[in-house]
Every structure is written in C-alpha cells, then in structure tokens.
Amino acid sequence: MQNILGATVLTVFFTVAPAFAEQPPPTAWVNISDPIVKQLTDAGKKIAWPGQTAGVAVDSATGDAYMIIPDQGIWKSFDRGTTFSRADNGEIGGRCETGYSINIDPAGGGRLACFMLDGKCAMTLDGGKTWQPFKGVGRNWDFAAVDWSQAEPKAIFAARHESGGEMYYSNDGGKSWKQIDKDLKYTAVGIFDENILLTTKGDGVLRSSDAGTTWEKVSDLQPVGRVMRIFKNTAYWIAKDGLIISTDKGKTWQKQGSPVEAGWGPYFSDDEKHFVVVGRKGFIETRDGGTTWTPAAPLPPVKEFDDRRPGWFLNVGWDPKGDVFYASRMGFATYKLQRR
C-alpha cells in the first residue's frame, strides 16, 4: 500500500432532499443553560470566551445529558435538562469547537471522551465519577474517534486544531500522541481498533491497517460527517450521497437507505434501525434504517444555529428514551425540546 493524496475539502451538505412523511409540529425549544450560567456568574466565576455554553451530548442508554460551559467544565443532568451539576472533577476545560468534540460511545453507558479546544481533555467510563486525563497537544483538538470496542479504550485518532491538518494517534488512551500525517485536506476520522483507521481528504474513503503508516483508498463514496460511528458492529458515516455503512471494518462501503441532508450523527436508539441525523433543516428521524426519513424537530429559532459548516460549531444530542432533543452552539445558550 502507499499514501494516497486526496482532492479538495468538502464543506457543503448533500443537497438532494429526502422524501419526508408528515408529522405534527413538536413543542417549543426551552433554554436550559441560563440557571447554570447565572449560578456561576453570581459566584464570581469567569466563563471563558465566547461565553454561555459550547457543547452538549446525550447518553443514549440512560438519557443523561452533558453540557459544556467554556472553561467551567462539563455539567451533567439526570432529569432531562431540568437541573445540572458539575461532573468532571476539574478535569475538563475550554470549549467544544465542533459537533464531534464530545465523543460519546454510541451504545451509551456513561462512556465519553472530551476533545476540548483551549482547555483540559479527558475520558470517563463511569458517567463522570472518574476521569482519565489526556495529554495536551498545542491548543488541542477539533474532533476525534475512539475505539469504543475496548472495555478500557486505548486507541484514539484525532485532528488537531489550526495545525495545517495535523493528525494524531494514541494507543494509550491519550497519555501520549504520535503525529501520523499533516495535510489540510483531512476532514474526518474513524477507528475500528488499534490498527485500522479511516479518514478522507475529500475524494472518497481512505483506510489504514497499520495505525496510519500507509493508506489505501477503499471507496469513492465521500463522507461529510466528521467522525465515523460504530453501532452493533456496523460502521455508519454521513456522506455526500446519504448514509454509508461498512460491515467489514472499512474494507468496503455501501449506501444505505434514501438520500438525506445532514452533517451531524447518526444518533442511535437501542434499535439499529431507529436513529436520528441532523442538518440545516433540523433533526431528521428514521425507523427503518434510512429507507424513509421524517422531520423530527427544527433547530432552535436562533439564526446562528443555522450552521453552514457541517459538523462544526453546532452541538446536538438526542435522548431516545425520553424523546428529547438538545442543541448548543458555541457562545450561545443550550436548548432542549421535549417531543411528547
């Protein structure tokens, strides 16, 4: 195998509109971060630039929601965003630069890793009771993939922030990092195990079976999601032509279902056919593995939440058990929408 040079960076959504089923409008979005922001400011705590909040994620198994306050850590809610308490023991700082900065195990269970910008980074396997810090690299990360197949994840593939496209690999759970390449064309990451990494440079899927030493182009299908997600032994990636999947550790890829415009996700229920993706038109749901798509919720009615950069400043989450949607954009409040 040899290193493969890609083409141009893809920075647009897939634009073919899916066929949607009719659905009643959901209830209204509710600001859930103001009480915590007020609590911190009243106590004299300084919320770092750009203020308010900068990240949200949801554990699909428990419904627990996690929210980032810039330089004031990660806050956890057990009651669907009604109340929050700090849950990082001082191990998380900075903010989420992208919608994939918090990498949560798609199967849930309190396993998540925080790849923060301008602050401390760490991973928890018990919902925030204990944390394993990551060694910092420069200003840290935009997004990263974690090998959640491991009981104690060690393999991580990460994209460094404003570094000219530096890509890093860790095989010790973030205690140390090795730069494996540098190219501005890199736009996404994926990982299957300590050896098999996936990425793209805007011209199909690239695969490495030796931890990034060499790369082989394995598909012309073009991912736009920043991080590949694995659920029940199948890899899912939002792509230019809709959702693509692999069942052989990335050797081959195929389209699944009908086209959908999205840049975030997918976010799974406990049924692999029932999941949600997110694009500029909001949250979009399928119950048949992507054959049909239904509008589930719009984005909050704040113009800055209409993010034209797929997977970037906007953070989203879905609680499939409580049927609650969450959205947070860097420098703005965090919102929730209860569908029923």
Side-chain angles (χ1 to χ4, degrees), residues 313-333:
F313 300 118
L314 178 66
N315 277 242
V316 294
W318 176 49
D319 169 9
K321 297 188 181 302
D323 211 8
V324 185
F325 302 94
Y326 295 84
S328 169
R329 191 190 191 279
M330 194 175 75
F332 293 84

Side-chain angles (χ1 to χ4, degrees), residues 71-326:
D71 238 16
Q72 295 297 325
I74 190 166
W75 295 68
K76 182 177 181 179
S77 174
F78 296 96
D79 53 12
R80 300 191 170 98
T82 302
T83 61
F84 284 88
S85 58
R86 189 161 180 176
D88 63 283
N89 301 324
E91 296 293 350
I92 300 298
R95 65 188 185 276
C96 294
E97 180 76 0
T98 78
Y100 293 92
S101 298
I102 302 176
N103 189 312
I104 197 161
D105 187 340
R111 292 155 57 89
L112 66 152
C114 298
F115 298 93
M116 311 305 292
L117 179 63
D118 294 336
K120 295 180 181 178
C121 307
M123 174 167 53
T124 180
L125 304 179
D126 54 17
K129 296 176 184 177
T130 60
W131 291 84
Q132 175 183 312
F134 296 155
K135 180 182 178 181
V137 179
R139 295 178 61 193
N140 291 327
W141 315 106
D142 283 335
F143 47 82
V146 178
D147 177 14
W148 291 117
S149 69
Q150 300 173 313
E152 296 185 5
K154 300 296 183 183
I156 303 172
F157 184 25
R160 183 183 169 193
H161 179 72
E162 291 185 354
S163 61
E166 290 181 5
M167 307 296 281
Y168 285 78
Y169 172 75
S170 175
N171 62 3
D172 57 11
K175 295 177 183 177
S176 65
W177 298 92
K178 174 185 177 182
Q179 183 180 333
I180 59 175
D181 204 359
K182 179 176 181 177
D183 194 321
L184 279 169
K185 298 184 181 73
Y186 284 120
T187 62
V189 292
I191 192 167
F192 283 99
D193 56 35
E194 66 275 11
N195 293 311
I196 301 175
L197 311 181
L198 282 296
T199 190
T200 182
K201 293 185 179 182
D203 186 24
V205 178
L206 304 180
R207 182 180 188 268
S208 173
S209 59
D210 52 15
T213 301
T214 59
W215 295 90
E216 176 186 17
K217 184 175 180 179
V218 292
S219 176
D220 290 325
L221 297 170
Q222 179 54 51
V224 296
R226 304 290 173 175
V227 178
M228 181 192 78
R229 293 169 66 80
I230 301 174
F231 186 63
K232 295 186 178 181
N233 299 316
T234 297
Y236 296 80
W237 221 336
I238 297 174
K240 178 183 177 183
D241 297 318
L243 194 67
I244 61 175
I245 68 167
S246 175
T247 57
D248 57 7
K249 291 196 170 185
K251 293 178 183 178
T252 61
W253 291 85
Q254 63 188 47
K255 299 177 187 178
Q256 174 162 301
S258 59
V260 63
E261 179 185 320
W264 292 258
Y267 305 97
F268 295 93
S269 69
D270 54 7
D271 176 0
E272 66 271 22
K273 292 186 178 296
H274 183 199
F275 52 86
V276 164
V277 297
V278 183
R280 292 181 59 202
K281 294 181 180 179
F283 292 76
I284 309 164
E285 183 178 28
T286 181
R287 294 177 180 272
D288 53 19
T291 300
T292 59
W293 296 93
T294 303
L299 294 175
V302 179
K303 67 181 180 66
E304 287 82 2
F305 278 63
D306 180 7
D307 202 323
R308 296 176 182 272
R309 242 180 128 180
W312 215 255
F313 300 118
L314 178 66
N315 277 242
V316 294
W318 176 49
D319 169 9
K321 297 188 181 302
D323 211 8
V324 185
F325 302 94
Y326 295 84

